[in-house]
Amino acid sequence: METEREADLLEEEPPQENGVIQSTQGLYSSTSPPASDDEPFSTYFEEKVPIPEDVTQVFSFRKLWAFTGPGFLMSIAYLDPGNIESDLQSGAKAGFKLLWVLLGATIIGLLLQRLAARLGVVTGMHLAEVCNRQYPTVPRILLWLMVELAIIGSDMQEVIGCAIAFNLLSMGRIPLWGGVLITIIDTFYVMVRPDQGELLKGMFLPYCENCDSAQMEQAVGIVGAVIMPHNIYLHSALVKSRQIDRGNKKEVKEANKYYFIESTIALFISFLINVFVVAVFAEAFYDKTNIEVNAKCNASGSPHTDLFPLDNSTLQVDIFKGGVVLGCFFGPAALYIWAIGILAAGQSSTMTGTYSGQFVMEGFLNLRWSRFARVLLTRSIAIFPTLLVAIFQDVQHLTGMNDFLNVLQSMQLPFALIPILTFTSLTSIMDDFANGLVWKIGGGVVILVVCAINMYFVVVYVTSLNSVALYVLVALLCIAYLSFVCYLAWQCLIALGVSCLDVSCLGNRVSNNRHAVFIEEQPAYDT
């Protein structure tokens, strides 16, 4: 009888007062974690992976293997075409000087993924489901739209990468629009000897000697490419695929440990691959001029020599030009290997976008679509603008879309970072696994830094458009955007303990049972 009543409470919307979020005992509290059978519906978790019993060991490779999967699937997004392009541009523009930014962004990404995994393990709900239960209707819908934009932007980058890969592999016989169409029906290795001293210096010395504005903008671009909002929603859902008794704190703690180890290994491997790409372009193409590359491509018989004008300006590369330059300097085999790598990156990262899109739609809207319908929706939306550019423009405009898409994803970051820090800091949701003071302060600082860096990236991109009409449009959009971000930040600060910001408490200071924004009522039954 009590279990049925708890299930009924789980299905109810959380009460709201003056637009302020409240939580009830029906949500996850320190006294009554929900049973596994009461979890919300999810398309992908009809069957869960069992965890072997091995209570005699502090660390078990069998258990680590059982928990392995979510972190590696999540790490694929760190190697999508957008990240690869950011890597090659970093190497070509700044050499090894920005490797420390890549390292720092990866570490920050790991810490955020840890929070996402803990939320899923402790509550049995992923981030979108928690947002559905905690935020009022209008903010919840807006939040869903922002995350969907990030997913569609990521999917567009994967489509662009695949289209360019097909074009390179066919030596131009498959046009760009043909490569885009091919991606509708489908759901690196170059020998250089980089200076090891310069590589280590660039990785561990947080300084960019003699860097100009272009190199600093590239540093900001690295952060925007590495930390992606939809990946946080994805990881919080993937951890639900293991059989964990959340009523057993020992099992929950153990799951958090193994998931963190697995995520660390997965992101370390993806970091090494990113470093390899940066190292190749830093060693071979840093400070190269267009006329040097033109001469090399002309000597090798490349059909793409006209991509590099006969001037002494510094070489500018993207995914397409990167493959061409590799072919000119290291032979046709390098070009084909590069193209195959980009194709594989695009195809594998498409899977993460599909999964995260399914989880986000189910979590925010309680919509239960088939996997095919979900793929058809996101891929169709991603294909349409990409196909138009591919038909009516050239490869330069197609690869240039990646800059806009990186800006788009940068703008969506607050809509993942703020909710994940908010919910993992609340004892009414996380019980004994809520963030401590260090994590609250550190998480807040990280979010401020990441958001500030990415807003700078957005400002730089917008000012480069040189259009008054676009400035006015962007200004209006920024007002609405910043208002919503401030709303989320306001609730986050209250959840972190800044109770003086809780407007609902101003008229009733004597109330002692309020917990900032999320108000925990006394249980109506004894569990």
Side-chain angles (χ1 to χ4, degrees), residues 29-61:
S29 71
S30 59
T31 59
S32 57
S36 298
D37 295 338
D38 295 330
E39 289 182 7
F41 168 84
S42 185
T43 301
Y44 295 95
F45 301 135
E46 293 88 353
E47 296 182 3
K48 296 192 175 184
V49 177
I51 305 300
E53 293 292 336
D54 194 355
V55 296
T56 60
Q57 297 182 5
V58 176
F59 178 82
S60 169
F61 282 102

Side-chain angles (χ1 to χ4, degrees), residues 344-474:
Q347 290 303 293
S348 59
S349 53
T350 295
M351 181 168 53
T352 65
T354 301
Y355 285 155
S356 57
Q358 183 76 45
F359 295 134
V360 164
M361 181 172 287
E362 286 181 355
F364 278 109
L365 305 181
N366 287 325
L367 291 181
R368 302 182 182 183
W369 281 22
S370 68
R371 302 177 195 181
F372 175 79
R374 174 67 213 187
V375 174
L376 182 64
L377 174 67
T378 53
R379 181 50 61 95
S380 298
I381 296 174
I383 284 289
F384 183 71
T386 311
L387 185 60
L388 290 180
V389 175
I391 292 175
F392 297 107
Q393 301 290 343
D394 55 16
V395 68
Q396 302 301 322
H397 290 84
L398 191 63
T399 56
M401 284 183 69
N402 271 329
D403 294 333
F404 168 76
L405 294 173
N406 279 334
V407 171
L408 178 66
Q409 298 219 60
S410 297
M411 294 184 68
Q412 311 311 314
L413 269 175
F415 307 120
L417 304 190
I418 296 176
I420 194 64
L421 179 62
T422 300
F423 298 134
T424 55
S425 298
L426 289 168
T427 56
S428 60
I429 292 179
M430 297 293 289
D431 198 4
D432 293 341
F433 298 95
N435 293 333
L437 181 61
V438 174
W439 272 97
K440 289 179 180 179
I441 296 175
V445 171
V446 165
I447 289 177
L448 285 176
V449 171
V450 170
C451 291
I453 287 175
N454 284 281
M455 286 305 297
Y456 170 78
F457 190 27
V458 172
V459 170
V460 168
Y461 178 80
V462 171
T463 53
S464 67
L465 298 177
N466 296 321
S467 171
V468 176
L470 287 176
Y471 291 161
V472 174
L473 177 61
V474 169

Side-chain angles (χ1 to χ4, degrees), residues 168-207:
L168 288 173
L169 288 171
S170 65
M171 294 300 291
R173 293 184 180 87
I174 298 179
L176 290 174
W177 60 267
V180 171
L181 290 175
I182 289 174
T183 61
I184 296 178
I185 62 175
D186 57 47
T187 14
F188 306 96
Y189 183 67
V190 174
M191 292 299 296
V192 296
R193 293 178 173 80
D195 187 322
Q196 302 296 323
E198 288 297 315
L199 189 149
L200 293 174
K201 178 182 176 182
M203 187 178 299
F204 296 107
L205 184 62
Y207 178 69

Side-chain angles (χ1 to χ4, degrees), residues 5-23:
R5 186 171 186 178
E6 185 174 358
D8 292 338
L9 287 172
L10 284 171
E11 295 175 359
E12 294 178 0
E13 288 288 334
Q16 300 162 17
E17 180 178 314
N18 298 327
V20 179
I21 308 172
Q22 304 178 15
S23 73

Side-chain angles (χ1 to χ4, degrees), residues 260-290:
F260 182 66
I261 294 173
E262 185 231 1
S263 298
T264 302
I265 296 172
L267 290 189
F268 177 71
I269 294 174
S270 68
F271 171 71
L272 286 182
I273 296 174
N274 283 316
V275 169
F276 293 157
V277 177
V278 174
V280 168
F281 281 85
E283 184 66 23
F285 309 122
Y286 176 52
D287 265 351
K288 286 286 192 301
T289 61
N290 281 319

Side-chain angles (χ1 to χ4, degrees), residues 101-300:
V101 179
L102 177 61
L103 176 62
T106 304
I107 293 174
I108 291 175
L110 173 62
L111 298 179
L112 293 173
Q113 299 299 159
R114 175 185 180 271
L115 293 180
R118 286 171 67 87
L119 180 70
V121 170
V122 174
T123 67
M125 297 192 298
H126 55 73
L127 182 55
E129 290 171 333
V130 177
C131 290
N132 176 282
R133 285 156 174 76
Q134 299 288 4
Y135 285 119
T137 302
V138 174
R140 183 172 72 241
I141 298 299
L142 291 175
L143 200 57
W144 168 69
L145 290 174
M146 295 298 101
V147 179
E148 286 287 359
L149 275 178
I151 294 171
I152 292 169
S154 175
D155 206 43
M156 287 180 66
Q157 288 185 313
E158 291 143 17
V159 170
I160 291 171
C162 292
I164 291 174
F166 283 123
N167 185 268
L168 288 173
L169 288 171
S170 65
M171 294 300 291
R173 293 184 180 87
I174 298 179
L176 290 174
W177 60 267
V180 171
L181 290 175
I182 289 174
T183 61
I184 296 178
I185 62 175
D186 57 47
T187 14
F188 306 96
Y189 183 67
V190 174
M191 292 299 296
V192 296
R193 293 178 173 80
D195 187 322
Q196 302 296 323
E198 288 297 315
L199 189 149
L200 293 174
K201 178 182 176 182
M203 187 178 299
F204 296 107
L205 184 62
Y207 178 69
C208 190
E209 186 177 2
N210 299 323
C211 285
D212 55 21
S213 59
Q215 292 166 327
M216 296 309 297
E217 290 172 16
Q218 185 59 42
V220 174
I222 292 174
V223 178
V226 169
I227 304 174
M228 290 176 289
H230 68 278
N231 217 26
I232 296 174
Y233 285 86
L234 172 67
H235 199 197
S236 67
L238 292 176
V239 296
K240 295 170 57 179
S241 59
R242 270 51 178 177
Q243 290 182 0
I244 303 169
D245 179 9
R246 291 188 308 280
N248 186 331
K249 293 183 179 180
K250 180 180 179 181
E251 285 193 23
V252 172
K253 184 176 181 180
E254 183 181 68
N256 286 331
K257 177 183 72 174
Y258 283 109
Y259 275 133
F260 182 66
I261 294 173
E262 185 231 1
S263 298
T264 302
I265 296 172
L267 290 189
F268 177 71
I269 294 174
S270 68
F271 171 71
L272 286 182
I273 296 174
N274 283 316
V275 169
F276 293 157
V277 177
V278 174
V280 168
F281 281 85
E283 184 66 23
F285 309 122
Y286 176 52
D287 265 351
K288 286 286 192 301
T289 61
N290 281 319
I291 195 169
E292 290 178 293
V293 178
N294 183 289
K296 191 71 175 180
C297 290
N298 190 44
S300 66

